[in-house]
């Protein structure tokens, strides 16, 4: 536990002085001064090649940042997480998503239980179930095999599997349909079911708590859709659950024999490698899922063992600190040059913003500097024709990460070379700009980017990328001394919505603020007509 906030250490002050000295230094100058810069500031590890050289840093910045990491004891906090210590202090929980991808031969005893053995017990159960569905051995209530899988969950119980399914679609069973329903907006469920046949549809209801109103509401409506067509007994053949809460699963009417377990030490936004990834495993098969876990584990080992100056997630996180706290950046763009990664920015929004969107540290003290950045992004090249204008010529500093792959997933003509030419061109244009007498046409450059390059987007690489960002987020939270693993900020809205829902029908007096009262009253009136 950090007694002194990192922001009050000598290392932090040294970085402040360095930031002042760096003011006005441009990327062009930095490249002119050091012809070896690109090589010196690029790192290849755990199957990823990361070029940090187009950032507004020098080797000295990197060293001062790693000194800040030392002052914050990022390595000690990391080791405590991997060892299963209860670093989620507000909920008194271990944080062990890294145990979800440890090999069978490992063991980690936490509170007298070997959590790695537990993980593999559940993985084996998932694999058996997925094999049965994929082979056609698992039959629906009418005896027909399953041809469509509908994942019902929200937040971490949706974004992870939905993003990863989309990313790995080329590795998926193309004979089956996979859909993801999350929103309580009835249109989401309606559209997902519109062309499906109840006799061949399997619902995977994913909720860590099994108490989330959106998921339970969608699951109840899905159950009605099924039982209207096939009768009550069909539920056991068409509904499986993923949860920590067997009692609620059973109350809902799903046989706990068809429940895949996770544990309170898996945070929702860190849960895709757990049973929460069941729909992904159904799509890419147990073998593909194990490759995905192997990629995550490889990156975990890198995070655990590489020195800070060569540690990819630590450096990414420290760069985040540099831009947020020393250069005044408010947002962080993530720009994947792969259409298959179209949901990756949305996934990272939850991962980063739900983890580090906090203003109080573990000791309850106000964090006196900006914490978690606003994360956003869209795949290139689409973004180039939409919002890149602002990144190139706007008034804000927007550090961006561009993610690309050497090999195309779906080779058609020269599309992939053109795609990657755009990625490289954007990093060049953003860093170096171009002169023009006309200020409207001038590109000032000096806009920082980090390029993350991998050979191909396969299950291992996706696993590595997810773990890379998980540990980046961890590093930033550790520097700020905040608990990245709770999410009390989402609770108040849920409580108020529960209170408002019954007030939308009827005419009981409204006791909210005048704005909310007027909105509810207008809704009531219009609905009545
Ligand atoms: O509302 C936020 C949240 O608690 C997320 O952290 C979580 O991923 C999501 O809701 C879903 O929770 P559950 O898996 O318990 O339904």
């Amino acid at each position: 536990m950090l007694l002194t906030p990192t922001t009050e250490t000598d290392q932090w002050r040294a970085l402040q002085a360095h930031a002042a000295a760096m003011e006005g230094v441009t990327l062009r100058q930095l490249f002119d001064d050091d012809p070896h810069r690109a090589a010196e500031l690029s790192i290849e590890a755990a199957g990823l090649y990361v070029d940090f050289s187009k950032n507004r840093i020098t080797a000295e910045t990197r060293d001062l940042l790693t000194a800040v990491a030392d002052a914050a004891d990022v390595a000690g906090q990391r080791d405590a997480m991997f060892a299963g210590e209860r670093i989620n202090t507000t909920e008194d929980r271990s944080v062990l998503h890294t145990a979800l991808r440890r090999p069978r031969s490992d063991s980690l005893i936490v509170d007298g239980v070997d959590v790695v053995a537990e993980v593999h017990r559940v993985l084996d159960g998932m694999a058996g179930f997925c094999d049965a569905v994929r082979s056609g051995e698992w039959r629906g209530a009418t005896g027909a095999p399953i041809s469509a899988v509908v994942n019902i969950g929200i937040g971490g119980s949706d974004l992870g599997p939905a993003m990863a399914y989309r990313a790995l679609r080329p590795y998926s069973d193309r004979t089956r349909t996979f859909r993801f329903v999350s929103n309580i907006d009835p249109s989401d469920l309606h559209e997902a079911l519109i062309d499906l046949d109840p006799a061949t549809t399997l619902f995977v209801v994913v909720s860590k708590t099994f108490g989330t109103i959106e998921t339970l509401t969608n699951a109840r409506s899905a159950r009605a859709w099924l039982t209207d067509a096939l009768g009550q007994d069909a539920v056991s053949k068409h509904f499986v659950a993923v949860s920590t809460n067997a009692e609620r699963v059973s109350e809902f009417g799903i046989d706990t024999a068809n429940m895949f377990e996770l544990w309170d030490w898996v945070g929702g936004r860190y849960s895709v490698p757990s049973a929460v990834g069941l729909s992904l495993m159904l799509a890419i098969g147990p073998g593909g899922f194990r490759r995905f876990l192997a990629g995550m584990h490889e990156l975990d080992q890198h995070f655990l063992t590489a020195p800070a100056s060569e540690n990819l997630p630590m450096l990414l996180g420290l760069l985040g600190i540099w831009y947020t706290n020393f250069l005044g950046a408010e947002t962080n763009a993530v720009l994947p040059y792969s259409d298959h990664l179209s949901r990756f920015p949305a996934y990272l929004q939850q991962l980063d913003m739900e983890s580090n969107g906090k203003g109080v540290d573990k000791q309850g003290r106000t964090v006196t500097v900006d914490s978690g950045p606003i994360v956003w992004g869209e795949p290139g090249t689409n973004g180039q024709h939409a919002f890149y204008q602002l990144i190139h010529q706007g008034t804000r500093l927007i550090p961006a990460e561009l993610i690309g792959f050497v090999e195309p997933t779906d080779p058609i003509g020269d599309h992939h070379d053109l795609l990657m030419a755009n990625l490289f061109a954007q990093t060049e244009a953003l860093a170096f700009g171009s002169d023009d007498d006309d200020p409207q046409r001038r590109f000032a450059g000096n806009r920082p980017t980090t390029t993350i390059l991998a050979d191909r987007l396969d299950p291992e690489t996706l696993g590595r990328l997810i773990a890379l960002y998980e540990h980046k987020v961890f590093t930033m939270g550790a520097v700020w001394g905040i608990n990245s693993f709770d999410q009390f900020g989402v609770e108040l809205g849920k409580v108020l919505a529960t209170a408002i829902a019954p007030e939308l029908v009827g005419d009981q007096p409204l006791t909210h603020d005048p704005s909310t009262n007027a909105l509810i009253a207008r809704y009531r009136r219009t609905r009545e007509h």
Side-chain angles (χ1 to χ4, degrees):
M1 203 166 269
L2 289 175
L3 296 178
T4 309
T6 313
T7 50
E8 288 171 22
T9 60
D10 289 345
Q11 290 87 335
W12 191 270
R13 281 187 280 274
L15 203 49
Q16 279 172 328
H18 174 71
M22 288 277 288
E23 222 177 291
V25 176
T26 65
L27 284 170
R28 186 175 285 281
Q29 273 170 282
L30 291 172
F31 273 89
D32 287 347
D33 289 351
D34 180 5
H36 306 296
R37 179 180 169 84
E40 278 164 8
L41 290 175
S42 297
I43 298 174
E44 183 155 20
L48 301 174
Y49 176 85
V50 183
D51 178 358
F52 292 101
S53 70
K54 292 195 186 90
N55 281 289
R56 290 196 202 164
I57 56 166
T58 60
E60 190 189 355
T61 324
R62 183 193 54 205
D63 295 345
L64 290 167
L65 281 166
T66 56
V68 162
D70 284 345
D73 193 23
V74 173
Q77 297 191 55
R78 170 201 64 197
D79 294 348
M81 171 173 74
F82 275 74
E85 286 179 31
R86 294 174 182 260
I87 63 163
N88 177 353
T89 45
T90 50
E91 296 176 309
D92 192 26
R93 287 177 184 169
S94 303
V95 174
L96 275 173
H97 45 278
T98 53
L100 297 167
R101 47 260 194 164
R102 285 176 69 158
R104 200 183 287 277
S105 52
D106 276 10
S107 130
L108 177 68
I109 309 294
V110 177
D111 296 335
V113 177
D114 184 348
V115 293
V116 179
E118 280 287 281
V119 162
H120 283 276
R121 177 179 62 73
V122 174
L123 274 175
D124 289 343
M126 291 164 63
F129 173 71
C130 290
D131 283 339
V133 172
R134 286 163 61 89
S135 67
E137 183 195 327
W138 178 283
R139 304 260 159 178
T142 66
I146 299 301
S147 64
V149 174
V150 179
N151 190 92
I152 299 179
I154 196 164
S157 299
D158 166 75
L159 285 163
M163 176 281 289
Y165 163 70
R166 210 185 147 85
L168 298 177
R169 221 183 211 164
Y171 294 84
S172 74
D173 173 358
R174 300 286 196 162
T175 65
R176 291 190 169 81
T177 301
F178 291 86
R179 304 243 165 100
F180 294 83
V181 174
S182 54
N183 203 324
I184 201 162
D185 179 345
S187 305
D188 200 8
L189 185 67
H190 174 74
E191 291 296 334
L193 301 185
I194 200 161
D195 55 355
L196 299 186
D197 175 0
T200 58
T201 300
L202 175 74
F203 292 97
V204 179
V205 184
V206 186
S207 177
K208 186 177 158 184
T209 54
F210 232 76
T212 304
I213 187 156
E214 291 90 338
T215 300
L216 292 184
T217 306
N218 277 322
R220 277 189 211 106
S221 300
R223 188 180 56 194
W225 176 83
L226 180 92
T227 54
D228 282 354
L230 302 178
Q232 203 58 43
D233 291 348
V235 172
S236 65
K237 289 288 169 202
H238 293 266
F239 270 80
V240 298
V242 175
S243 187
T244 55
N245 197 325
E247 211 176 301
R248 286 191 186 158
V249 167
S250 172
E251 261 165 42
F252 179 86
I254 297 177
D255 186 348
T256 48
N258 295 336
M259 170 181 143
F260 300 89
E261 205 180 330
L262 73 155
W263 307 270
D264 68 3
W265 42 260
V266 185
R269 52 195 174 272
Y270 298 88
S271 65
V272 61
S274 73
V276 168
L278 186 66
S279 297
L280 175 66
M281 192 193 267
L282 281 163
I284 64 172
F289 197 78
R290 287 186 196 279
R291 289 176 59 190
F292 172 65
L293 298 183
M296 291 185 137
H297 181 64
E298 191 183 349
L299 207 296
D300 291 343
Q301 289 304 109
H302 166 76
F303 180 51
L304 196 54
T305 57
S309 60
E310 293 160 30
N311 194 308
L312 296 179
M314 259 193 216
L315 288 175
L316 269 185
L318 292 171
L319 266 180
I321 296 285
W322 174 240
Y323 287 120
T324 306
N325 295 143
F326 296 87
L327 270 62
E330 292 190 315
T331 82
N332 174 201
V334 182
L335 310 168
Y337 276 69
S338 162
D339 216 58
H340 288 300
L341 284 182
S342 61
R343 294 295 285 158
F344 197 54
Y347 173 79
L348 293 183
Q349 284 178 328
Q350 188 199 12
L351 178 65
D352 202 325
M353 294 162 81
E354 200 168 70
S355 295
N356 286 341
K358 322 263 164 81
V360 169
D361 74 6
K362 282 189 174 185
Q363 277 81 27
R365 299 174 297 210
T366 301
V367 178
T368 54
V369 294
D370 275 346
S371 61
I374 299 156
V375 178
W376 60 286
E378 275 288 317
T381 58
N382 296 4
Q384 289 175 208
H385 297 271
F387 54 78
Y388 276 40
Q389 164 66 40
L390 184 145
I391 308 182
H392 280 285
Q393 288 189 313
T395 52
R396 291 179 172 82
L397 171 67
I398 302 177
E401 284 131 34
L402 287 80
I403 304 171
F405 303 94
V406 175
E407 289 171 20
T409 308
D410 310 291
I412 304 177
D414 60 356
H415 286 221
H416 190 72
D417 287 343
L418 287 171
L419 174 72
M420 291 304 289
N422 272 280
L423 185 161
F424 300 136
Q426 289 300 324
T427 69
E428 190 176 5
L430 287 163
F432 305 112
S434 80
D435 286 335
D436 198 298
D437 291 339
D438 178 355
Q440 312 287 349
R441 293 181 165 75
R442 190 177 303 144
F443 286 73
N446 208 26
R447 318 252 160 171
T449 60
T450 301
T451 304
I452 302 172
L453 207 56
D455 287 351
R456 67 195 72 79
L457 179 55
D458 57 15
E460 286 89 348
T461 303
L462 183 69
R464 292 176 189 124
L465 285 173
I466 294 172
L468 176 75
Y469 276 93
E470 285 175 349
H471 300 323
K472 172 196 174 184
V473 167
F474 177 89
T475 299
M476 295 176 77
V479 168
W480 290 316
I482 60 182
N483 180 1
S484 301
F485 301 101
D486 59 16
Q487 56 284 320
F488 295 115
V490 300
E491 294 306 325
L492 179 60
K494 288 187 198 174
V495 172
L496 295 182
T498 311
I500 289 175
E503 296 174 354
L504 297 183
V505 283
D507 55 5
Q508 67 270 51
L510 296 168
T511 53
H512 305 272
D513 62 276
S515 160
T516 310
N517 283 347
L519 289 165
I520 296 172
R522 186 182 166 83
Y523 181 85
R524 275 181 182 171
R525 276 196 310 276
T526 317
R527 279 281 269 168
E528 270 166 23
H529 294 137

